[in-house]
Amino acid sequence: MHRSIATVSLSGTLRQKLEAVSAAGFDGIELFEADFVNFKGSAAELRRITSDLGLSIDLYQPFRDFEGMPEAQFRRSLERAERKFDLMEAMGAPLMLCCSNTSPLSVNDPALAAAQLHELAERAARRNLRVGFEALAWGRHTSLYGQAWNIVKQADHPQLGLILDSFHTLSLKDDAAGIAAIPGDKIFFLQMADAPLLSMDVLQWARHHRSFPGQGDLDVIGFFEQVLRAGYTGPLSLEIFNDLFRETPNRRTAVDAMRSLLYLESEAQRRLASSADVPALKPQIELFSPPPVPALSGLSFIEFAADEASAGTLGALLEQLGFRRVGRHRSKAVALYRQGEVNLIVNAQPDSFARSRFEAHGTSVCALGVRCADPLAAVERATAMRSQRHDSPVGPNELRVPAIVAPGGNLIHFVPEALGTNGLYEADFILEQDAAADATGAGLAQVDHVALGLALDQLDTWVLFTRAVLGLEPGESLELADPFGLIRSRGVANADRSVRLVLNVSLSQRTRTARTLSLTGGGAVHHIALRCDDIFDSVARLRAAGTRFVPISDNYYDDLATRIDLDPALLARLRAAGVLFDRSPAGDYLHIYTENIEGGLFFELAQRTAGYDAYGALNAPARMASQAQQ
């Protein structure tokens, strides 16, 4: 598959964009007109640069306000087109994108539009160039791909075809199924873009909030499937207008872009392979087909980076939370703490990955271990999806656990499920004799979820990473009120909810989340939620052991009684214990937060009942307001 990207999708100068695109493994670019206009070089020089970088210039875009115009304006536009054709010949770009007219001078006359596009294609043909017509979602008279296709058919010129853009179709909720009936050779180019679901003017939505496939909420996979059904064999490209992408380092954006196309191809391949009419749906182009998404079955461990002094401090805190030190590593300065099924590792080994993370960010989570049916296949998928593999040094008789580098620099280890609950620790640690016994401690049984604090430009990266690499699916995006700004929060989880992450970004620089990010550099775990069966009993035990919890305003409980029909006895217990409460149609969620430890990290105790499937987000403002008042 020939993979391409519009230069408007990345930050930097044109030369910097081209270098980032080439490094990410793309085959070609769509050249955005403004990028060339501001380029200090000729079209021939640009052709040489792209060729040296192994890139083709697949498309020159956009050519605006052409079809359906009065005769005088039409003739001037033909002259304008000839000058663009001069440039395209010099730079080696074979295709021009002509987008549907938005000018108030244009007339609603498909026959005129077809005739004028025929003339444009005739002039392109004299130079062995082609023209693609695209329906803009905000086009004055042509906004749907079906309208554009009817005009292209009526124009009836071999050098004129259709350009499809997923955003323009899906943002208008137009039915993409009709694309499959369009002859594949008349679709000249395919542009893909995702986007979050927003209620706003489609033009503003398009120019500021598009995202890469897999980062948003549109059915881009279904759209791509219909294009493949049509028999399309041309480039697969990205055209993304996004304010954050325009300021994000372009190397990271280019990697996200490539990952998004690989994810899109693999998901479309999977859908077509499972379709009832497989023989008829075999794509006419080769699609990326990585190992399947890993079958994850829970968190095996959470690893903290520390030095000798902080390891002792952190260990004392964990013991106060009911954890017990049950083992030490065979060859490294690493300790294992356990409670229920929760394994926490404190790594103070000098000259290690963990120590480098400690030196950069202080006491912090540096790695997660996820149980996985096939770790090697999981790493193969991750590297195929443009993640970096990580190999840690191992001592005699110790296990090598495959790992990858997550966005932001921390590690994710894939722990073989076949080892059972204790196999890894029996191999790598010298365990106490009763370490395998259930250490109930304060009744904390499992990791419920892990919450990450991200820089604003990392949220889309993490949504795509967790989706494409780990097979997690995102939930609803929420905005939560901190006393000093808004926090955007989004949960991601696997199907059986054994692995849950919560991704949080601050829209302000003054929130506690933002201040924590200034210390951690982003992409860091800022709280760990531990599940218990009886939160009131666990809280009582921990308070007795000296654990301090975030105090909640008494007004919260007065208001809670007005929002939710609660048994008065339960409300009294919640108030007395300082426990927060949320209810959904499927069940209840009871939770409480500890005060912060070093680096802003804190713990949450959580109890789920029945089928509750969220994270108590409506209570986050009560926690953040209380922390701000301390």
Side-chain angles (χ1 to χ4, degrees):
M1 181 109 217
H2 184 96
R3 303 181 184 101
S4 187
I5 185 171
T7 55
V8 73
S9 308
L10 299 95
S11 66
T13 65
L14 181 55
R15 180 62 184 255
Q16 291 168 340
K17 294 180 182 188
L18 296 175
E19 290 172 349
V21 167
S22 175
F26 281 89
D27 304 300
I29 62 163
E30 300 178 37
L31 181 61
F32 192 62
E33 184 175 52
D35 280 319
F36 178 73
V37 169
N38 297 317
F39 171 64
K40 290 185 177 180
S42 67
E45 288 173 312
L46 179 61
R47 183 175 190 166
R48 176 185 56 78
I49 292 170
T50 54
S51 177
D52 288 347
L53 290 170
L55 298 171
S56 57
I57 303 176
D58 301 324
L59 176 72
Y60 188 84
Q61 62 113 333
F63 191 63
R64 302 179 186 273
D65 296 336
F66 177 78
E67 86 291 352
M69 293 292 270
E71 183 66 15
Q73 285 77 16
F74 169 60
R75 290 299 159 189
R76 283 197 292 271
S77 290
L78 285 177
E79 287 304 310
R80 180 163 52 96
E82 293 287 1
R83 304 291 72 77
K84 301 305 177 186
F85 291 155
D86 292 340
L87 292 174
M88 290 170 61
E89 283 186 311
M91 66 179 62
L95 177 63
M96 170 194 280
L97 182 152
C98 180
C99 54
S100 61
N101 208 320
T102 63
S103 170
L105 296 177
S106 64
V107 295
N108 187 12
D109 186 343
L112 177 63
Q116 292 181 344
L117 284 169
H118 182 98
E119 175 62 21
L120 181 66
E122 186 65 23
R123 295 196 177 207
R126 295 170 192 163
R127 303 170 183 248
N128 197 29
L129 301 175
R130 299 195 301 170
V131 176
F133 184 49
E134 176 189 57
L136 292 178
W138 54 93
R140 193 168 186 87
H141 306 297
T142 303
S143 58
L144 305 177
Y145 74 84
Q147 296 171 320
W149 170 231
N150 286 334
I151 291 172
V152 168
K153 282 194 297 183
Q154 191 170 349
D156 191 24
H157 196 290
Q159 300 301 100
L160 177 68
L162 189 66
I163 291 180
L164 294 173
D165 184 309
S166 61
F167 178 84
H168 293 306
T169 296
L170 300 176
S171 64
L172 296 181
K173 299 181 180 179
D174 191 16
D175 186 0
I179 293 173
I182 300 172
D185 61 352
K186 292 302 290 183
I187 303 174
F188 280 6
F189 206 80
L190 173 63
Q191 297 172 321
M192 298 298 304
D194 207 337
L197 293 178
L198 299 171
S199 297
M200 64 189 314
D201 174 74
V202 68
L203 179 57
Q204 294 304 309
W205 191 12
R207 288 185 174 172
H208 301 283
H209 299 286
R210 297 193 211 188
S211 57
F212 294 128
Q215 293 179 331
D217 302 310
L218 304 180
D219 184 15
V220 290
I221 300 169
F223 180 92
F224 184 42
E225 181 183 350
Q226 298 307 317
V227 178
L228 294 173
R229 287 174 180 269
Y232 176 70
T233 58
L236 174 61
S237 190
L238 296 162
E239 185 193 41
I240 312 297
F241 294 82
N242 186 294
D243 295 344
L244 280 176
F245 292 2
R246 291 186 179 99
E247 60 186 65
T248 301
N250 56 30
R251 295 285 176 133
R252 170 148 59 91
T253 303
V255 171
D256 282 353
M258 177 55 71
R259 179 179 286 149
S260 77
L261 288 186
L262 298 178
Y263 167 74
L264 179 68
E265 290 179 45
S266 64
E267 288 299 295
Q269 176 89 296
R270 183 181 59 81
R271 283 198 191 184
L272 292 176
S274 62
S275 178
D277 51 344
V278 174
L281 295 179
K282 185 176 181 180
Q284 296 183 25
I285 49 178
E286 184 177 354
L287 298 177
F288 177 69
S289 184
V293 295
L296 307 180
S297 57
L299 283 177
S300 177
F301 65 82
I302 299 173
E303 182 176 342
F304 293 85
D307 64 1
E308 292 78 3
S310 62
T313 303
L314 178 58
L317 172 70
L318 296 179
E319 289 176 347
Q320 189 180 72
L321 287 169
F323 286 86
R324 183 162 60 88
R325 178 170 169 153
V326 297
R328 60 181 176 83
H329 201 276
R330 295 186 183 277
S331 63
K332 302 170 186 173
V334 179
L336 172 64
Y337 293 82
R338 178 174 291 164
Q339 183 174 182
E341 298 178 13
V342 183
N343 294 290
L344 303 181
I345 293 173
V346 179
N347 189 335
Q349 175 68 19
D351 301 322
S352 65
F353 171 82
R355 181 57 65 91
S356 69
R357 299 302 284 177
F358 173 80
E359 290 171 352
H361 307 302
T363 304
S364 56
V365 171
C366 63
L368 300 176
V370 292
R371 289 190 297 274
C372 178
D374 190 343
L376 291 179
V379 170
E380 288 174 5
R381 178 181 176 86
T383 54
M385 288 288 185
R386 299 306 193 262
S387 289
Q388 179 183 348
R389 178 172 180 147
H390 178 87
D391 292 305
S392 299
V394 295
N397 302 317
E398 294 170 6
L399 295 177
R400 183 174 297 280
V401 180
I404 60 170
V405 181
N410 281 347
L411 301 181
I412 294 179
H413 295 266
F414 296 101
V415 179
E417 199 173 59
L419 290 174
T421 58
N422 213 39
L424 171 64
Y425 310 106
E426 290 174 341
D428 284 8
F429 289 83
I430 300 172
L431 299 176
E432 295 180 2
Q433 289 186 353
D434 62 346
D438 180 28
T440 56
L444 308 182
Q446 295 176 311
V447 176
D448 184 86
H449 63 272
V450 174
L452 284 73
L454 308 174
L456 187 57
D457 64 0
Q458 292 178 315
L459 179 59
D460 286 334
T461 293
W462 267 90
V463 168
L464 178 59
F465 168 78
T466 55
R467 208 173 202 170
V469 175
L470 301 180
L472 309 184
E473 281 300 316
E476 183 182 4
S477 180
L478 303 172
E479 290 190 349
L480 314 174
D482 180 278
F484 300 103
L486 288 177
I487 304 295
R488 183 169 294 150
S489 182
R490 193 164 200 187
V492 295
N494 60 348
D496 69 2
R497 302 304 192 257
S498 61
V499 176
R500 298 175 183 259
L501 302 177
V502 177
L503 312 177
N504 296 319
V505 299
S506 175
L507 306 185
S508 160
Q509 296 303 308
R510 298 183 60 208
T511 65
R512 179 177 291 268
T513 299
R515 294 198 300 273
T516 300
L517 286 174
S518 68
L519 299 174
T520 63
V525 172
H526 71 69
H527 90 256
I528 299 167
L530 303 174
R531 193 179 307 173
C532 55
D533 295 325
D534 185 343
I535 195 168
F536 298 110
D537 178 64
S538 294
V539 169
R541 292 194 210 182
L542 292 178
R543 286 194 191 276
T547 299
R548 296 169 61 88
F549 293 96
V550 174
I552 301 301
S553 165
D554 205 48
N555 297 326
Y556 165 83
Y557 297 98
D558 292 339
D559 179 68
L560 181 63
T562 68
R563 294 188 291 110
I564 301 176
D565 184 17
L566 286 177
D567 181 278
L570 175 57
L571 180 62
R573 293 189 76 188
L574 294 168
R575 190 192 300 265
V579 171
L580 299 152
F581 184 90
D582 190 32
R583 173 168 288 168
S584 74
D588 297 340
Y589 188 69
L590 294 79
H591 59 138
I592 190 171
Y593 303 93
T594 69
E595 291 188 349
N596 287 5
I597 63 173
E598 182 182 346
L601 179 71
F602 58 94
F603 289 86
E604 176 185 1
L605 276 63
Q607 178 181 341
R608 295 177 183 269
T609 70
Y612 184 92
D613 194 35
Y615 304 92
L618 291 177
N619 292 323
R623 185 257 302 171
M624 292 186 285
S626 179
Q627 289 173 322
Q629 294 174 70
Q630 287 183 270

